[in-house]
Amino acid sequence: MDHCPHDGHGGSPFSDGWTLGPLLTLLFFGMNQPPFGLLIFGISLSKPNASVAIERVFPLMLLAARMGFQGCTVVGAGVIGLSCGIRLLESGLETRILSKDVTPHTVSDIAAAWWYPFLAEPVEKTTRWSVETYYELLRLKEDLRLGFITMRKGVEYLVEPCPPPGWAGDISHFRAIRQDEVIEGYQHGWEIEAPVIEMGHYLPWLMERFLSLGGDIELTNIASLSDINSRLVVNCTGLGARDLCRDENIVPVRGQIIYIDQDPGFGRFDQRPENLIYTIPRRDVTVLGGTAQRGDWHEEIRKEDTLEILQKCSALWPELDRSKIIGEAVGLRPSRNEVRLEVERSEDSVIIHNYGHGGAGVTLSWGCADEVTSLAQGLLET
């Protein structure tokens, strides 16, 4: 906000003679005394140059609303931030979300999104978080009848035999495939059944759920977490944490995908980052991928990546029909050497960090949200 005086009006920030100090005093008093606050705003409307006053007063009202917030402030409105906000409200904690963007303008909107712990460490924690999320997604599908969450089978092909992942015994369907099911170029594989989530429907549902529980969402740019005067801050800023937290461990892993109007019957996967391949069948489209280009910030579609994705996917799915391509997209996964989910204390703030989920934001979302809520309850009770 510009605090410089207008020419010819001395120190007055408003052309009709208002001074900033008394107005701020009235605003802060008015925020805690709603009738008086409305009266103040009404007075400003009655001034001769009300448009100027409103333009300058309204940001101050938002600032006043932020000051001294006694609940939890979640920063970020992707799948991680919204899931945390919902869990915090469900636990009885007053919660708001501050975010630069909301759906459909978040990286979460581009997620494929097939449940699978991908590019996320440490394994001992991400296994637990992913299994917890698996069963929460299943509950949402079955109990709330959310049609945009479906259960689909998929086969991951492996170039050499290896032990099953740690979560194999915890999900509803997992089996090693027979040798006659292994395709050329691979030696082993396994079949799982897992949730597939249509993010174009899921994120608006999460946002509506958060608002219906009494949460508030404010679109704003946060320059520093220390600027947020709140009893507790939950940092769910993904790649934004690189600047906000000066965390050089978080880097983008660029993912380019293709949408095709053709159903492969079951998903096909090669999860090696250097040769990433996936065909993820959803109700609306099948998502073809992909790329895992570490340190690449470019969000434009690259023709060479499109051709490579099609070539790789055709090797796993020979029936792929290129004439049925209907779109493409690029997203930057917020990758980190390991997910940062921890408490940071300073003299004037308490922050729970929850970022760095790589390509597994949806897969880890509810498990991480439950842990954040547990930490928050412990902090606010002390």
Side-chain angles (χ1 to χ4, degrees):
M1 177 176 171
D2 182 7
H3 292 284
C4 296
H6 289 279
D7 293 339
H9 291 277
S12 171
F14 301 118
S15 59
D16 59 353
W18 281 97
T19 56
L20 187 59
L23 184 57
L24 266 177
T25 301
L26 289 172
L27 282 169
F28 275 88
F29 180 78
M31 293 306 296
N32 293 315
Q33 304 290 333
F36 192 63
L38 290 172
L39 176 61
I40 295 166
F41 196 61
I43 291 171
S44 73
L45 285 173
S46 69
K47 297 300 291 182
N49 292 301
S51 61
V52 176
I54 293 169
E55 180 181 301
R56 295 183 174 227
V57 170
F58 193 64
L60 292 176
M61 293 180 71
L62 293 179
L63 175 63
R66 264 184 228 154
M67 298 298 288
F69 184 69
Q70 291 302 300
C72 302
T73 298
V74 176
V75 186
V79 69
I80 296 295
L82 288 170
S83 302
C84 282
I86 289 169
R87 279 294 189 260
L88 290 166
L89 286 169
E90 288 175 341
S91 73
L93 298 175
E94 184 181 6
T95 305
R96 64 178 178 173
I97 290 177
L98 307 182
S99 185
K100 179 179 67 175
D101 295 304
V102 295
T103 185
H105 304 295
T106 74
V107 69
S108 296
D109 288 276
I110 302 171
W114 157 268
W115 178 94
Y116 193 96
F118 178 67
L119 289 179
E121 300 282 347
V123 171
E124 64 272 14
K125 291 184 178 180
T126 58
T127 293
R128 171 169 54 85
W129 294 331
S130 63
V131 171
E132 290 169 354
T133 302
Y134 182 98
Y135 284 101
E136 176 61 6
L137 292 169
L138 201 56
R139 185 192 71 81
L140 293 175
K141 172 188 178 296
E142 294 179 350
D143 293 357
L144 301 187
R145 300 186 181 279
L146 300 184
F148 46 81
I149 300 175
T150 55
M151 295 293 287
R152 297 295 296 256
K153 288 184 178 178
V155 174
E156 179 177 0
Y157 297 103
L158 306 168
V159 294
E160 59 185 25
C162 67
W167 42 263
D170 295 315
I171 64 174
S172 62
H173 176 78
F174 180 97
R175 71 172 181 90
I177 61 174
R178 302 183 308 272
Q179 197 59 38
D180 64 334
E181 297 175 285
V182 178
I183 63 176
E184 184 179 352
Y186 297 90
Q187 296 186 32
H188 188 51
W190 43 62
E191 177 187 82
I192 72 172
E193 186 175 39
V196 176
I197 302 94
E198 297 165 27
M199 300 304 286
H201 297 291
Y202 184 56
L203 287 169
W205 181 85
L206 288 176
M207 191 159 67
E208 177 57 32
R209 172 66 177 161
F210 175 79
L211 294 172
S212 70
L213 289 169
D216 291 313
I217 298 177
E218 180 184 327
L219 289 177
T220 183
N221 284 311
I222 302 295
S224 171
L225 295 177
S226 62
D227 291 342
I228 304 169
N229 192 341
S230 180
R231 192 176 177 194
L232 178 66
V233 174
V234 182
N235 174 21
C236 302
T237 54
L239 272 178
R242 184 176 174 88
D243 294 328
L244 280 175
C245 303
R246 298 179 182 177
D247 186 350
E248 294 185 359
N249 288 318
I250 187 161
V251 296
V253 174
R254 180 180 177 274
Q256 181 167 319
I257 57 176
I258 299 169
Y259 302 112
I260 186 169
D261 186 17
Q262 183 183 5
D263 193 327
F266 63 93
R268 296 158 169 86
F269 304 88
D270 180 338
Q271 298 282 21
R272 292 173 296 163
E274 69 277 11
N275 189 53
L276 182 63
I277 310 172
Y278 51 86
T279 68
I280 300 176
R282 305 192 319 207
R283 292 183 315 170
D284 52 349
V285 295
T286 293
V287 183
L288 308 179
T291 62
Q293 296 154 334
R294 188 174 180 83
D296 191 333
W297 289 89
H298 295 91
E299 297 183 76
E300 73 279 2
I301 303 294
R302 293 178 185 151
K303 185 176 181 180
E304 61 269 28
D305 286 335
T306 299
L307 294 174
E308 183 182 356
I309 290 167
L310 290 171
Q311 181 179 6
K312 292 190 299 185
C313 288
S314 294
L316 299 190
W317 180 23
E319 298 81 12
L320 190 156
D321 184 348
R322 299 187 182 196
S323 70
K324 295 187 176 181
I325 292 172
I326 58 175
E328 298 179 78
V330 172
L332 304 180
R333 306 176 184 94
S335 182
R336 195 173 183 271
N337 55 327
E338 61 179 42
V339 175
R340 187 182 184 192
L341 204 170
E342 63 183 6
V343 176
E344 180 183 2
R345 298 174 182 267
S346 66
E347 291 183 2
D348 55 358
S349 66
V350 180
I351 301 171
I352 300 176
H353 295 287
N354 183 23
Y355 65 85
H357 300 82
V362 176
T363 299
L364 303 176
S365 56
W366 290 112
C368 288
D370 286 337
E371 185 151 330
V372 164
T373 301
S374 178
L375 290 171
Q377 289 175 318
L379 290 166
L380 295 178
E381 287 172 0
T382 57

